[in-house]
């Protein structure tokens, strides 16, 4: 939508229709072994005046902005006063926008005071997208996420207490063939403690040039096949107790679309998983056949 970006640019699929403005560039962690998103960038927070100039230009270009997403990775890592200044400016400039959102990792959220998070909420921040990936501490350590499951729970508590909605990503397959069961069970356990508003599974897609790719090459990690990923998803769904949360597999990496509201739609979602497991040749084939 906005023409001049510092590429590459990423946003959640559900923000496809949003005005995307880069408040930060890159990711300040940039060390997860499965992630290549910001490898070519050095993290920096842009000055509010630069970002506001982008926002003003967008206002001149677009008569209706349904929502605003503040990129890049971990925008919440920037100074809270400066981020709140950008958010409240965006709110004033785009009164029609139904939400303003950004990515936010637990490593950076846990360093934010309750006052700082409340200030972001009062400025107009509606949703934070947080990458849990796994609720298993061994897996979090192996993939160098930089935080523990306890940190994830604490970050969730702070975000929700500030009145900000929390959307959490889970990375199916992150335990590989070796640890899929502990990945599913401990991820369910951690999500039950976090009680997010949205749970969004993605499926691991190893990328050349990452640490995980090298582990696969050295035989230290075995990529989970489609059937194993579905069994993992089944185990996760069976053990989740996050009443009222939306479970949305809204990503191209997933084998089958599994959507619903927990805990109400659990059986319906399990039926979709079982259907895929009963016809693996049709649904769990090569990854280029995955769909939303
Ligand atoms: S924190 Fe997120 S964006 Fe940064 S390296 Fe990890 S997965 Fe990638």
């Amino acid at each position: 939508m906005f023409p001049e970006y510092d590429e590459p640019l990423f946003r959640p699929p559900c923000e496809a229709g949003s005005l995307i403005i880069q408040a930060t560039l890159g990711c300040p962690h940039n060390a997860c072994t499965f992630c290549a998103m910001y490898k070519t960038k050095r993290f920096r927070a842009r000055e509010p005046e630069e970002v506001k100039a982008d926002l003003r230009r967008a206002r001149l270009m677009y008569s209706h902005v349904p929502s605003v997403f503040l990129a890049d990775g971990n925008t919440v890592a920037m100074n809270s006063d400066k981020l709140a200044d950008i958010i409240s400016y965006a709110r004033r400039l785009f009164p029609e926008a139904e939400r303003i959102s950004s990515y936010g990792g637990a490593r950076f959220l846990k360093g934010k005071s309750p006052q700082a998070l409340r200030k972001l909420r009062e400025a107009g921040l509606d949703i934070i997208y947080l990458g849990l990936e796994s609720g298993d501490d061994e897996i979090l350590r192996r993939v160098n996420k930089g935080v523990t499951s306890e940190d994830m729970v604490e970050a969730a508590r702070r975000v929700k207490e500030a009145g900000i909605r929390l959307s959490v990503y889970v990375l199916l397959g992150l335990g590989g063939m070796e640890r899929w069961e502990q990945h599913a069970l401990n991820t369910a356990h951690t999500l039950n403690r976090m009680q997010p508003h949205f749970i969004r599974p993605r499926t691991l897609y190893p990328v050349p040039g990452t640490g995980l790719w090298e582990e696969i090459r050295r035989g230290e990690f075995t990529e989970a096949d489609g059937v194993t990923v579905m069994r993992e998803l089944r185990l996760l769904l069976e053990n989740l107790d996050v009443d009222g949360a939306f479970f949305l597999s809204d990503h191209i990496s997933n084998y089958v679309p599994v959507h619903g509201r927990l805990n109400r739609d659990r059986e319906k979602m399990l039926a979709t998983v079982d259907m895929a497991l009963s016809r693996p040749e049709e649904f769990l084939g090569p990854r280029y056949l995955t769909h939303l």
Side-chain angles (χ1 to χ4, degrees):
M1 220 168 152
F2 199 70
E4 290 165 23
Y5 290 114
D6 185 312
E7 306 257 3
L9 180 74
F10 298 93
R11 46 98 184 127
C14 61
E15 298 291 347
S18 301
L19 170 68
I20 302 172
I21 295 288
Q22 289 172 301
T24 57
L25 303 176
C27 166
H29 181 56
N30 216 8
C32 299
T33 63
F34 56 87
C35 176
M37 288 163 73
Y38 301 107
K39 288 283 182 238
T40 55
K41 293 187 184 185
R42 181 187 290 265
F43 179 79
R44 86 173 166 89
R46 298 177 71 211
E47 284 305 318
E49 290 315 314
E50 275 183 81
V51 183
K52 288 180 187 176
D54 279 359
L55 288 164
R56 282 194 299 275
R57 287 173 59 212
R59 179 71 291 176
L60 293 175
M61 290 169 71
Y62 305 114
S63 58
H64 180 80
V65 167
S67 43
V68 178
F69 177 72
L70 295 172
D72 277 342
N74 274 308
T75 297
V76 296
M78 76 183 286
N79 175 283
S80 298
D81 288 337
K82 289 184 177 182
L83 182 54
D85 183 25
I86 290 168
I87 292 168
S88 55
Y89 192 78
R91 266 273 163 248
R92 288 200 299 278
L93 218 46
F94 303 103
E96 75 275 26
E98 71 171 35
R99 67 174 180 274
I100 297 179
S101 59
S102 80
Y103 287 130
R107 186 180 148 196
F108 305 97
L109 286 167
K110 71 176 183 160
K112 296 276 176 195
S113 67
Q115 294 79 0
L117 285 168
R118 261 200 304 278
K119 190 166 187 176
L120 294 180
R121 174 68 196 123
E122 282 160 13
L125 183 63
D126 295 295
I127 299 185
I128 288 179
Y129 299 97
L130 178 150
L132 167 66
E133 329 300 359
S134 177
D136 181 82
D137 282 317
E138 183 187 359
I139 294 172
L140 288 172
R141 184 180 49 73
R142 288 181 69 93
V143 303
N144 204 19
K145 190 69 191 168
V147 281
T148 63
S149 59
E150 199 59 44
D151 294 328
M152 299 286 190
V153 173
E154 176 60 21
R157 188 182 67 74
R158 288 180 183 221
V159 169
K160 290 188 304 167
E161 276 183 8
I164 300 169
R165 282 183 292 165
L166 182 63
S167 177
V168 173
Y169 295 117
V170 169
L171 196 50
L172 301 174
L174 197 59
M177 293 300 277
E178 296 87 355
R179 296 174 192 82
W180 70 268
E181 275 182 285
Q182 74 185 65
H183 178 39
L185 289 171
N186 287 329
T187 299
H189 177 66
T190 302
L191 284 167
N192 293 347
R193 295 183 65 207
M194 293 172 80
Q195 294 286 308
H197 301 92
F198 302 89
I199 298 170
R200 291 185 149 102
R202 278 85 180 88
T203 303
L204 179 68
Y205 199 100
V207 182
T210 59
L212 187 75
W213 182 269
E214 291 307 311
E215 281 182 47
I216 294 172
R217 224 173 42 84
R218 292 195 299 266
E220 296 165 8
F221 181 94
T222 314
E223 198 181 345
D225 56 31
V227 170
T228 304
V229 168
M230 281 297 111
R231 291 173 69 196
E232 181 183 300
L233 176 56
R234 193 175 209 297
L235 194 58
L236 173 70
L237 282 167
E238 281 171 342
N239 285 279
L240 277 177
D241 184 9
V242 192
D243 209 19
F246 290 94
F247 191 92
L248 304 164
S249 62
D250 55 351
H251 197 261
I252 190 76
S253 62
N254 294 323
Y255 284 97
V256 286
V258 178
H259 305 303
R261 189 125 197 220
L262 290 165
N263 297 323
R264 187 189 69 189
D265 299 332
R266 186 198 317 275
E267 293 307 318
K268 189 187 81 177
M269 291 191 279
L270 286 173
T272 304
V273 174
D274 289 342
M275 185 262 303
L277 280 167
S278 68
R279 287 147 63 190
E281 63 296 333
E282 192 176 334
F283 291 103
L284 308 177
R287 299 299 298 284
Y288 59 81
L289 295 177
T290 57
H291 50 83
L292 287 175

